[in-house]
Amino acid sequence: MYNIKTLNKIASCGLNLLDKRMFAVSDDFDNPDGIILRSFNMHEMELGDNLKAIARAGAGTNNIPVDKCSEKGIVVFNTPGANANAVKELVLAGLLLSSRKITDGINWANTLSGDDVAKQVEKGKKEFVGPELEGKTLGVIGLGAIGVMVANAAYHLGMEVVGYDPYISVSAAWGLSRHVKKADNLEKMVEDCDYISVHVPLMDATRGMIDEELLNHAKKGVRVLNFARGELVNNADMKKALEEGVVSCYVTDFPTEEVIGMKNTICIPHLGASTPESEDNCAVMASKEIDNFLVDGNIRNSVNFPNCELPRETKCRITIAHMNVPNMLTTFSKLMSDDNINISNMINKSKKDYAYTIIDIDEDVDASIISEIEAVDNVLKARIIK
């Protein structure tokens, strides 16, 4: 029986996929085998010795101590693409909000009173004139699941779309409309953009990437949308650009004390993935990832360990999370040979500093083999799956 701890409310349509004969799900477990969460901050949380996997029902994993998990051999999953449509739709709304002064107009209309409201509307509406999207140029920074959907949808709205992503995946490239132009240089791309929408993960290389240096290359009056992560934008530089008219409107899904009240800024209260469909999709994907890993040892959509999957064809399977260093497979094979264990099938994959090995064997093995494997230098965690 695997104990799964939930740190946030997770949609039942996902949790119900976990076979009750094999999984117990609760928010009370002290030392669970797996954790499923959404936005709960785990950085101050103790990671029990029994913890093998964490699944984030969402794309970002900044609320999870990924480095610490990696050092302990704990596999961290996310759910890429599960909330992509929800975010895409809000980005489209953001494009319209940034152009047509809709929120300002609504707020003004709600102040009107008296018998001549219709006349006041006709007289005052000129203050809220804004351009149409058709024919304008949108620059999409980051062409992952969300960025591709935004780019394709914007093209169908009649926009000229340019995308920038030096690390675009093969699957994303296949999904991208052939009408979306590819930019090789970010600074050059923003020169011609009427709108910029950022869709990259937050990491050291991208933190504050929308800054004064980049905005100085932008077309004057550009509208900037951030539905990825608040820290991707240098708020001080954005404030200056808004005050100087370099940026005519900034739409962000990440309000902070620093951002609220900035000139020509529309703050949305982190609604990007806040749809019932998105929450269901994320819960389903996270539950399937946990199931596939704990029951069969397979990894798909991990942020710290490589994708590594092998169909089950034997009674017993050994999985090993380890550092990506030479001679590990040779060492594992020798341990099996010394214990007279025949290897039926094996797969090994690596991702930067970390690697993962699945070894299938025909017969049952004694649990002592795990102690032998974990005693090997650079092995982080090993287990037997029967």
Side-chain angles (χ1 to χ4, degrees), residues 172-383:
W174 275 107
L176 190 65
S177 168
R178 63 183 177 85
H179 299 286
V180 176
K181 299 174 183 177
K182 319 300 189 301
D184 296 322
N185 181 279
L186 181 57
E187 288 77 13
K188 184 68 176 175
M189 182 188 82
V190 302
E191 290 178 2
D192 300 316
C193 291
D194 301 291
Y195 303 81
I196 298 171
S197 188
V198 58
H199 300 284
V200 299
L202 177 63
M203 56 186 72
D204 290 341
T206 61
R207 187 179 300 274
M209 67 178 297
I210 309 299
D211 59 6
E212 183 175 16
E213 182 178 355
L214 180 64
L215 294 174
N216 281 341
H217 290 275
K219 184 176 182 179
K220 186 174 177 61
V222 69
R223 293 167 168 84
V224 179
L225 293 83
N226 179 14
F227 289 85
R229 281 291 179 268
E231 294 88 346
L232 297 171
V233 174
N234 182 310
N235 290 328
D237 290 356
M238 177 59 71
K239 181 179 180 180
K240 179 181 177 183
L242 287 163
E243 291 173 348
E244 295 178 351
V246 175
V247 176
S248 63
C249 185
Y250 175 44
V251 183
T252 177
D253 203 26
F254 308 98
T256 64
E257 184 177 359
E258 187 178 9
V259 172
I260 292 172
M262 281 186 356
K263 181 180 179 180
N264 295 333
T265 296
I266 299 172
C267 291
I268 299 172
H270 203 182
L271 299 181
S274 295
T275 68
E277 294 87 352
S278 173
E279 292 182 9
D280 288 353
N281 292 340
C282 289
V284 166
M285 186 180 289
S287 297
K288 287 182 177 180
E289 291 165 348
I290 283 280
D291 186 313
N292 194 25
F293 178 71
L294 291 180
V295 174
D296 289 320
N298 292 321
I299 296 178
R300 182 184 297 176
N301 297 325
S302 172
V303 300
N304 59 341
F305 281 89
N307 286 341
C308 188
E309 298 183 88
L310 189 65
R312 289 289 297 271
E313 296 178 351
T314 61
K315 294 180 180 179
C316 190
R317 166 170 287 185
I318 295 174
T319 65
I320 310 167
H322 56 93
M323 302 301 295
N324 183 23
V325 295
N327 299 319
M328 297 305 289
L329 295 186
T330 301
T331 302
F332 300 152
S333 296
K334 185 177 186 307
L335 278 175
M336 302 294 158
S337 177
D338 290 346
D339 285 2
N340 200 31
I341 298 171
N342 182 57
I343 296 175
S344 174
N345 205 353
M346 183 188 328
I347 186 172
N348 169 268
K349 297 288 184 179
S350 62
K351 184 174 185 177
K352 296 183 180 178
D353 294 334
Y354 297 95
Y356 187 74
T357 299
I358 299 174
I359 302 172
D360 279 352
I361 49 184
D362 292 319
E363 69 276 3
D364 287 339
V365 294
D366 190 84
S368 61
I369 188 67
I370 297 302
S371 298
E372 294 180 45
I373 294 172
E374 290 188 335
V376 174
D377 287 344
N378 296 306
V379 168
L380 306 170
K381 191 181 289 286
R383 65 190 181 107

Side-chain angles (χ1 to χ4, degrees), residues 123-152:
K123 182 179 179 180
K125 67 180 184 181
K126 63 179 180 295
E127 300 296 326
F128 309 103
V129 172
E132 298 178 12
L133 301 180
E134 186 173 7
K136 305 302 188 300
T137 298
L138 169 66
V140 180
I141 304 174
L143 294 168
I146 297 171
V148 165
M149 294 182 74
V150 168
N152 292 347

